[in-house]
Amino acid sequence: MKPSIKQNLKTLGITIFILVVLNVLGTLFSHRFDLTKDKRYTLSPTSLGIIKQVQNPLSIKIYMAGDLPADFRRLQQETKQLLEEFQAYNSNIVFEFVDPLENEDESEELTKSLFQKGLTPVNITVDDKGKQSQAMVFPWAVAVYNNKEVNIPLLKNIMGASTTQKVIGSIQHLEYSIADAVNKVTKNKQKKVAIIKGNGELNEIHIAKMLMQIRESYFIGPFTLDSVAKDPNGTLNELKKYDLAIISKPTEKFSDEEKEVLDQFIMNGGKTIWLIDQVAADMDSLYNDAGATLAYPRDLNLNDMFFKYGFRINPDLIKDEYGSPIKLATGEQGSATQYQDFIWKFAPQVYPKSQHPIVKNLGGIKFDFANPIDTLKNGIKKTVLLQSSQYSKTIGTPAEINLNMVTEKSTPQDYLNKGNQNLAVLLEGSFHSAFENRVLPFKDNSFTAKGKPNKMIVIADGDIAKNQLDKNMMPVELGYDQRTGNLYDNKDFIMNCINYLLDDTGLINIRSKDVELPLLDKEKVYESYTQTQFITIGVPILILTVFGLVFTFVRKRKYSK
């Protein structure tokens, strides 16, 4: 055998041996490299912890396949790559992409079943070099685990944003959406949420959508304070079994005994969300022949408690130039009533500026007759979550509010140094009891004057958690305004508040992840379409052709001698 052949066989053998060794090592040790600048495919420790909970097969079906518009192809690809990361860490996670419109014979039945599950499609206007067409897309996924099912919204609604902006915002939230869904279907419910009743709070049908959302992750139940009058200690002991209490727009005074129960619940570590209206005013009361109502202060007998905890809700109304749109009848044309769009300044449309995980990357949040919150110095950490715009001011009460105010003219000077009123505040620390150094309304042998480290959130508007009712008196999506067709981020904000107060997995912190998406400027592409095609397609082919010709020429010249 020739020495050259022996050398080639030896080289081949060494190469095969190295490949076998690398494959064996690859099965024993695995590591994935994320070469993106923003580390978008590097899962957070929280996500990894949630993935470990998956002990049985977890199936995720994504209804985004087929011929999708360009923006949604990007969302589809990002979803696929992220799910591959989840699957790499736990093989029990399997997923598939489905086109619900692929088979015409079955698509109608399938889309109907998706509608029944709450998976509503979005109609997209596709602009291809100036040619517009309509496309229907289902930006949803469904996760199934141990016969438990949960919907995963893949497209985040951002009011007033373009499809591209919505997709970018959705990719920002993608890991959070998927990890949250996996956590819901795999983790047994542990925390308990009490919906406080007995002081004229919102009816269940008006907070139905919030309750349904809470029920997916936590045990939930109404808790009435009516029994305080007969058995205050028994009521307090029962309330202590809950982890969070939500007080949603009370309209009647709290007795001192009821306040002591809530106070001691807080001192013992119970979390609270206060949804408080300090002024009696509602949109429904405006829709009368006069188109007017009287807004007046509402005394709930809670001011001393709030003051002790470190805040005060003033009995004023906030009037904001960045109000929400409203449709009002302006006359008749023939037999048809004519409507016109106005801005209702008593319904601030708030876009979060804070980088706190509760509000980061949220869209517009709608308030109705909100009140300003003052924070007081008492050693408690306060984080302002939401504020009115710089072009806002307070209106003292009592005051008449009428629909004709939509025609009022204003100037920037009207709001000079009056804006940026606090609407929602997070308080964290060890609270002092409102009944410290006071005679107790009822005897409590376990009374605590200073509580353990705790958190609470106060929102100066009860209507932020209120869903509207359709013509059949059924609740519509929280944040959806039927009068204008706008969908606000009220539901996400409320759920983020609850998750932050109760979250022991750090899931809410995934929302802080920033993803940078370099996208082409479509207008510039259209202006120089041929040039862009040549650069993106022609130049690489040209480079390959030149390389091939040079390589062939050098090879012929070398071996022709």
Side-chain angles (χ1 to χ4, degrees):
M1 185 179 293
K2 293 181 179 181
S4 60
I5 296 176
K6 285 185 177 181
Q7 183 64 32
N8 289 338
L9 289 174
K10 183 180 179 181
T11 304
L12 179 62
I14 293 173
T15 302
I16 293 173
F17 175 75
I18 293 173
L19 290 174
V20 170
V21 171
L22 289 175
N23 274 277
V24 171
L25 292 175
T27 57
L28 298 176
F29 308 99
S30 64
H31 185 78
R32 298 171 70 85
F33 295 94
D34 186 352
L35 302 180
T36 58
K37 179 182 177 182
D38 50 18
K39 300 299 179 184
R40 78 184 65 163
Y41 305 120
T42 300
L43 298 181
S44 66
T46 300
S47 294
L48 295 176
I50 291 172
I51 292 171
K52 290 179 181 178
Q53 299 172 185
V54 182
Q55 303 296 326
N56 299 317
L58 186 151
S59 171
I60 301 178
K61 192 172 288 186
I62 306 98
Y63 294 96
M64 278 199 308
D67 187 17
L68 297 171
D71 290 322
F72 283 90
R73 284 200 299 271
R74 182 66 182 270
L75 180 59
Q76 178 199 51
Q77 186 64 24
E78 294 286 343
T79 304
K80 180 181 178 182
Q81 290 174 335
L82 190 58
L83 286 172
E84 286 174 348
E85 288 296 315
F86 275 72
Q87 192 178 57
Y89 287 100
N90 192 329
S91 58
N92 283 324
I93 299 176
V94 295
F95 63 91
E96 64 172 325
F97 284 80
V98 177
D99 181 4
L101 306 176
E102 181 180 15
N103 191 324
E104 293 185 4
D105 297 331
E106 300 176 359
S107 63
E108 184 176 348
E109 184 177 345
L110 178 57
T111 53
K112 185 178 179 181
S113 67
L114 295 179
F115 268 100
Q116 291 173 344
K117 291 180 180 180
L119 311 185
T120 55
V122 292
N123 292 309
I124 302 298
T125 301
V126 182
D127 193 343
D128 184 13
K129 292 185 289 184
K131 297 179 181 178
Q132 292 187 342
S133 59
Q134 294 291 322
M136 186 169 71
V137 181
F138 283 87
W140 292 89
V142 176
V144 181
Y145 182 79
N146 291 346
N147 296 321
K148 188 178 178 181
E149 188 175 289
V150 64
N151 298 338
I152 308 175
L154 300 177
L155 182 68
K156 179 173 175 56
N157 176 72
I158 304 175
M159 195 177 62
S162 65
T163 302
T164 301
Q165 291 170 328
K166 289 180 181 179
V167 168
I168 293 174
S170 301
I171 294 173
Q172 295 270 8
H173 285 77
L174 208 50
E175 182 182 347
Y176 174 80
S177 298
I178 296 173
D180 182 44
V182 174
N183 190 52
K184 285 178 180 177
V185 295
T186 57
K187 185 178 180 180
N188 293 324
K189 295 179 182 178
Q190 295 176 341
K191 302 293 180 67
K192 298 175 67 177
V193 178
I195 307 298
I196 301 299
K197 297 289 184 182
N199 293 85
E201 289 83 1
L202 290 172
N203 294 326
E204 286 191 5
I205 194 168
H206 287 119
I207 54 173
K209 288 299 180 178
M210 180 184 73
L211 298 180
M212 291 170 62
Q213 196 71 25
I214 297 173
R215 195 173 286 119
E216 289 185 0
S217 303
Y218 308 105
F219 291 109
I220 188 172
F223 190 94
T224 180
L225 294 178
D226 292 344
S227 58
V228 169
K230 295 182 179 179
D231 185 13
N233 284 289
T235 304
L236 175 58
N237 291 332
E238 287 300 313
L239 185 57
K240 286 180 181 179
K241 296 177 182 178
Y242 289 84
D243 300 284
L244 168 69
I246 299 177
I247 303 95
S248 56
K249 196 179 179 179
T251 56
E252 300 171 6
K253 276 188 177 183
F254 285 77
S255 68
D256 287 343
E257 290 80 7
E258 291 172 336
K259 288 162 58 178
E260 184 180 344
V261 168
L262 292 174
D263 176 82
Q264 288 303 293
F265 169 73
I266 294 169
M267 294 304 109
N268 282 274
K271 312 297 189 296
T272 46
I273 296 180
W274 300 91
L275 301 165
I276 302 296
D277 277 13
Q278 286 285 61
V279 175
D282 291 289
M283 283 302 297
D284 292 339
S285 61
L286 280 170
Y287 294 110
N288 53 43
D289 292 338
T293 187
L294 179 66
Y296 56 90
R298 177 179 279 147
D299 182 14
L300 298 173
N301 193 30
L302 293 174
N303 292 340
D304 57 337
M305 279 183 68
F306 294 163
F307 188 87
K308 190 73 173 183
Y309 298 155
F311 67 93
R312 176 174 54 230
I313 304 177
N314 295 316
D316 301 322
L317 291 177
I318 292 178
K319 190 175 183 181
D320 197 327
E321 286 294 315
Y322 287 91
S324 302
I326 184 174
K327 287 184 180 290
L328 297 176
T330 55
E332 292 187 3
Q333 185 173 354
S335 59
T337 304
Q338 297 297 300
Y339 291 90
Q340 186 175 342
D341 290 329
F342 296 95
I343 295 298
W344 182 241
K345 299 176 185 179
F346 290 99
Q349 191 177 146
V350 179
Y351 288 85
K353 297 177 182 177
S354 171
Q355 293 301 302
H356 193 279
I358 292 178
V359 294
K360 186 175 182 180
N361 296 326
L362 284 183
I365 299 166
K366 183 176 181 291
F367 285 75
D368 273 314
F369 296 110
N371 316 131
I373 303 174
D374 288 341
T375 57
L376 311 170
K377 292 183 179 180
N378 67 339
I380 297 294
K381 178 184 176 183
K382 288 99 176 174
T383 304
V384 177
L385 300 175
L386 297 174
Q387 284 184 322
S388 62
S389 76
Q390 62 176 323
Y391 299 111
S392 62
K393 62 181 179 180
T394 58
I395 303 295
T397 58
E400 183 186 45
I401 307 297
N402 63 75
L403 293 174
N404 290 328
M405 289 181 170
V406 296
T407 60
E408 290 180 351
K409 302 297 181 182
S410 59
T411 64
Q413 284 71 29
D414 296 334
Y415 302 100
L416 194 62
N417 300 322
K418 297 179 180 179
N420 298 321
Q421 299 288 334
N422 299 333
L423 298 176
V425 179
L426 165 69
L427 297 96
E428 298 172 286
S430 297
F431 297 94
H432 284 263
S433 170
F435 295 91
E436 184 180 23
N437 301 321
R438 288 174 54 185
V439 176
L440 299 181
F442 66 86
K443 185 177 180 181
D444 178 10
N445 293 328
S446 62
F447 175 81
T448 303
K450 183 179 180 181
K452 56 185 72 173
N454 203 349
K455 308 173 190 174
M456 70 170 63
I457 294 175
V458 54
I459 305 169
D461 178 23
D463 293 316
I464 197 172
K466 181 180 178 181
N467 54 250
Q468 296 180 3
L469 305 179
D470 63 16
K471 60 183 179 181
N472 297 318
M473 300 305 292
M474 296 298 292
V476 300
E477 190 65 40
L478 176 58
Y480 180 67
D481 184 5
Q482 297 180 98
R483 299 182 181 96
T484 59
N486 291 333
L487 179 62
Y488 300 89
D489 267 0
N490 291 39
K491 181 180 74 173
D492 285 349
F493 171 63
I494 292 295
M495 290 310 303
N496 288 348
C497 290
I498 295 171
N499 289 338
Y500 181 81
L501 295 178
L502 294 181
D503 192 12
D504 55 356
T505 65
L507 185 63
I508 190 70
N509 291 318
I510 303 178
R511 294 180 52 84
S512 301
K513 188 173 182 178
D514 288 316
V515 177
E516 298 178 10
L517 296 176
L519 299 173
L520 292 174
D521 188 322
K522 293 182 179 180
E523 292 185 5
K524 291 184 178 179
V525 171
Y526 293 156
E527 291 173 1
S528 54
Y529 193 79
T530 304
Q531 181 182 350
T532 304
Q533 275 189 322
F534 176 74
I535 293 173
T536 56
I537 301 174
V539 170
I541 294 174
L542 183 61
I543 292 173
L544 287 173
T545 303
V546 171
F547 176 79
L549 291 173
V550 171
F551 180 80
T552 303
F553 173 76
V554 172
R555 186 177 179 83
K556 281 184 178 181
R557 186 174 180 181
K558 179 178 179 181
Y559 292 103
S560 62
K561 295 179 181 179

